[in-house]
């Protein structure tokens, strides 16, 4: 077979290396260990920094099984002889890049120093006593892996231990010298940390309501804060003493901004004004009028000559800082403009909006010259890097994104927050990024490099729904990133991405023949998709709030949809019209499902009821009451039972005919988000916000198996039956889709992971780190926070290393 020439922008040297590698890999070179070629370039040069070559070789892995086996051989040989360690590090890097997952693999004693394992999957892998110095572990999945005795010095995680607060983090700020860090909290307090140790040194109290924003003065000697208590306060950053309170606003004060000289503070308020304050006297020197809605943000041009503001009126205004005259109104956003920032050079302005976009504006002309799209929901916060070459943004979809200013490309998506990212800020050197969230944490990210250029295979943010097709080995997942992904159930390969919704995709359902998909979204729409082409063929409009659930009729011509508007609608799909609206629920309707007969359907609501309806007449002939709000319901195959996932942490089994509650299954420690019958009906599976899956015996109510230590709450579950048994697919809040094989052996049920499309979050839960060597105090804390178990070894002075975190 003729080697395929490898072309690269890096030139002929890399092309030659690629050809050498191909030729070496097909030679019959006998060596003492597994007949592997020891003259391959894999043996004598590291490919870690050559991303193009790694991607090229990953493609070979997918095309040539023999090449994959060769690479696995290098990894195996490294266990016995360190001469193979460079080849092994290259090999595992290429395999991870090719999507090979090392679930339950025996990797004990492997030598892979410097390997790039970012976004790799090593669930339950045996990796004891391995040499993993200087490996890249960004976004890696090491759940329940065995790493006892492994050498981990110099490992790079892409993030640091997060800061856990006792309240929602509304705002955060680095001091100009990068030595201190301030956090504004929903509790009304401000916490100040020393960055070198991340120990809390000050607690500033005085605000009577939520602190919405904090900012350091240019010299770093003062902190300004704004609050829902309608005041602006100035604090001494060293002692925490309150120096001044300014209180002329009549509504919430959203933001504060220091002038570059530090002698003025601008504040923006829900009272539609911007006020300019004298820092020394506290006197209001000027009030700027013009916005017709609350002013959500204000910021100074780096030169100090101009002020920019953004508003609920969808506009951005530019003001002369001296005269207070409005010189320009910039239009383009179609929803609230939450945040704006000038570039360090002052020639650009970036804005974040509830319309899900980030926009770049020319300050001189006011023209919008780039729109950045990728967030699945409202964008709340933006920030330029100190050099001005990157922009960070965070939003309701719980992700933080890094954008290239020149090209507009999304460089990285940082996942880990469980709820909205409300604030982002770069360190003074630009190598670290901090993000504050509604989940009460501050996460710290290393953004100095993106060593591999790899990305996660799953959704960028929470997976809300998963469903299987009855034919074709296909499943679908819907996410907060507003997309639907279609997966090959055997390989875990993403076949297609469906884009069309403008907000969170809350539910999906396949038609009975598997040729169509219905999806419901927080954008209030129901879309019908052709599976083969991936095109949207029908848009159903009628709900006035988020669509939470959809269900096809037996023959596929009709569709039910349930919404937070408290209604269930029946649609004729071919003509796209609503035929009937079912009223009765008094709170959000979270789930709807046709009965197997197709003559009736059931709906579950946060009003704590399940209602059973006649499809044609609209009559509600039974109401099942009791327990907490209902998140999801499902019929048994015979249609005589309904299972309900409840907000009160229980799973309930109901008899449809009598309305009797047959079983109450207790064991979850947080609200239960999903529940479903197995294909044969003898088992139930439930998923919870407690990050676990439980499998129950329907006859006895006994919990027969559990999956714990997942990275996020389990929002959706779907069973499927194959020739080799039952499979369970789960979608989680961390953005991952996981496929499990459920087997029975002499009455004992086992649940084993078969593949995962990860959400990109660092997953260490349940990993054993007993006697792990080479960890710094920060990295030890990181492993512990992420749920690792065991006690790492204490570093001896003679083997002490410096680790990059």
């Amino acid at each position: 077979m003729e080697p395929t020439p490898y072309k690269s922008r890096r030139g002929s040297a890399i092309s030659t290396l690629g050809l050498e590698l191909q030729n070496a890999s097909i030679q019959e070179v006998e060596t003492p260990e597994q007949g592997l070629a020891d003259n391959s370039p894999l043996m004598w040069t590291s490919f870690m920094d050559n991303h193009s070559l790694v991607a090229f070789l990953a493609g070979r892995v997918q095309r040539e099984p023999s090449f994959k086996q060769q690479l696995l051989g290098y990894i195996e040989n490294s266990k016995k002889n360190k001469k193979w360690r460079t080849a092994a590090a290259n090999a595992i890097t290429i395999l991870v890049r090719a999507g090979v997952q090392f679930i339950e693999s025996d990797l004990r004693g492997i030598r892979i120093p410097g390997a790039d394992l970012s976004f790799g999957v090593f669930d339950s892998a045996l990796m004891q006593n391995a040499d993993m110095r200087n490996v890249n572990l960004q976004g890696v999945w090491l759940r329940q892996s065995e790493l006892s005795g492994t050498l981990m010095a110099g490992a790079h995680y892409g993030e640091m231990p997060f800061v856990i607060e006792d309240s929602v983090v509304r705002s955060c700020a680095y001091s100009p010298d990068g030595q201190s860090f301030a956090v504004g909290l929903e509790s009304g307090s401000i916490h100040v940390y020393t960055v070198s140790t991340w120990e809390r040194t000050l607690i500033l109290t005085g605000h009577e309501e939520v602190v919405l924003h904090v900012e350091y003065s240019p010299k770093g000697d003062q902190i300004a804060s704004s609050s829902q208590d309608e005041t602006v306060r100035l604090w001494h950053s060293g002692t925490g003493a309150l120096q001044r309170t300014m209180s002329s606003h009549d509504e919430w004060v959203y933001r504060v901004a220091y002038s570059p000289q530090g002698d003025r503070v601008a504040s923006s308020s829900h009272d539609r004004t911007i006020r300019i304050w004298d820092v020394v006297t506290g006197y209001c020197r000027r009030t700027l009028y013009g916005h017709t809605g609350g002013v959500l943000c204000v910021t100074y041009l780096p030169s100090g000559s101009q002020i920019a503001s953004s508003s609920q009126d969808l506009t951005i205004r530019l003001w002369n800082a001296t005269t207070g005259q409005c010189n320009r109104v910039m239009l383009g956003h179609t929803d609230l403009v939450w945040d704006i920032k000038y570039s360090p050079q002052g020639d650009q302005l970036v804005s974040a909006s509830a319309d899900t976009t980030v926009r770049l504006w020319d300050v001189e002309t006011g023209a919008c010259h780039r729109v950045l799209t990728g967030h699945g929901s409202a964008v709340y916060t933006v920030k330029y890097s100190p050099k001005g070459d990157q922009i960070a943004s965070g939003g309701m979809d719980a992700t933080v994104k890094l954008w290239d200013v020149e090209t507009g490309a999304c460089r990285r998506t940082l996942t880990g927050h469980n709820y909205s990212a409300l604030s982002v800020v770069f360190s003074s050197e630009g190598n670290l990024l901090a993000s504050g969230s509604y989940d009460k944490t501050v996460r710290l990210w290393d953004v100095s490099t993106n060593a591999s250029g790899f990305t996660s295979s799953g959704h960028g943010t929470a997976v809300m729904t998963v469903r299987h097709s009855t034919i074709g080995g296909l499943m679908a997942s819907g996410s907060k990133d507003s997309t639907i992904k279609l997966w090959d159930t055997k390989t875990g390969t993403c076949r297609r991405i469906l884009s069309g919704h403008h907000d969170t995709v809350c539910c999906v359902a396949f038609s009975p023949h598997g040729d169509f998909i219905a999806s419901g979204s927080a954008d209030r729409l129901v879309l019908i998709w052709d599976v083969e082409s991936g095109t949207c063929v029908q848009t159903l409009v009628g709900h006035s709030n988020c669509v939470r659930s959809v269900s096809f009729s037996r023959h596929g011509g009709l569709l039910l949809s349930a919404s937070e508007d408290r209604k269930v609608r029946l649609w004729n799909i071919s003509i796209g019209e609503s035929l009937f609206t079912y009223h009765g629920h008094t709170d959000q309707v979270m789930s709807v499902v046709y009965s197997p007969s197709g003559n009736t359907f059931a709906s579950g609501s946060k009003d704590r009821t399940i209602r059973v309806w006649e499809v044609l007449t609209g009559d509600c002939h039974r109401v099942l009451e009791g327990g907490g709000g209902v998140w999801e319901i499902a019929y048994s195959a015979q249609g005589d039972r309904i299972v309900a996932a409840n907000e009160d942490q229980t799973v309930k089994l109901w008899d449809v005919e009598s309305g009797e509650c047959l079983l109450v299954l207790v064991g979850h420690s947080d609200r239960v988000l999903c529940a479903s019958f197995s294909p044969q009906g003898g088992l139930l599976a439930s998923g919870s916000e407690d990050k676990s899956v439980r499998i129950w015996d329907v006859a006895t109510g006994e919990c027969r198996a559990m999956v714990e230590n997942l990275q996020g709450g389990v929002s959706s579950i779907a069973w499927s039956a194959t020739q080799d048994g039952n499979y369970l697919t789960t979608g989680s809040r961390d953005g991952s889709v996981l496929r499990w094989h459920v087997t029975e052996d002499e009455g004992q049920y086992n649940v084993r992971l078969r593949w995962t499309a990860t959400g990109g979050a660092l997953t260490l839960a349940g990993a054993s780190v007993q006697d792990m060597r080479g960890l710094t105090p920060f990295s030890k804390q990181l492993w512990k926070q992420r749920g690792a178990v065991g006690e790492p070894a204490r570093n001896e002075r003679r083997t002490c290393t410096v680790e990059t975190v």
Side-chain angles (χ1 to χ4, degrees), residues 24 29-32 35-41 43-44 70 74 83-84:
V29 180
E30 292 297 327
T31 67
L36 293 174
D38 59 5
N39 65 338
S40 167
M43 293 287 295
W44 44 262
Q70 179 193 4
Y74 285 129
K83 83 170 187 177
W84 299 94

Side-chain angles (χ1 to χ4, degrees), residues 79 92 102 104-110 112 117 121-132 135 137 140-152 768 772 783:
K79 298 177 180 180
I92 201 166
F102 294 85
E104 299 182 0
S105 296
D106 186 352
L107 302 174
R108 287 175 289 186
I110 62 170
I112 53 169
L117 307 183
V121 177
F122 298 86
D123 191 273
S124 303
L126 302 178
M127 306 176 77
Q128 299 96 317
N129 301 307
D131 181 356
M132 295 176 65
V135 295
L137 297 177
V140 75
W141 183 285
L142 285 164
R143 173 186 167 273
Q144 294 188 343
S145 55
E146 283 286 346
L147 292 150
S148 302
T150 292
L151 181 57
M152 198 67 76
S768 174
M772 183 185 283
W783 282 88

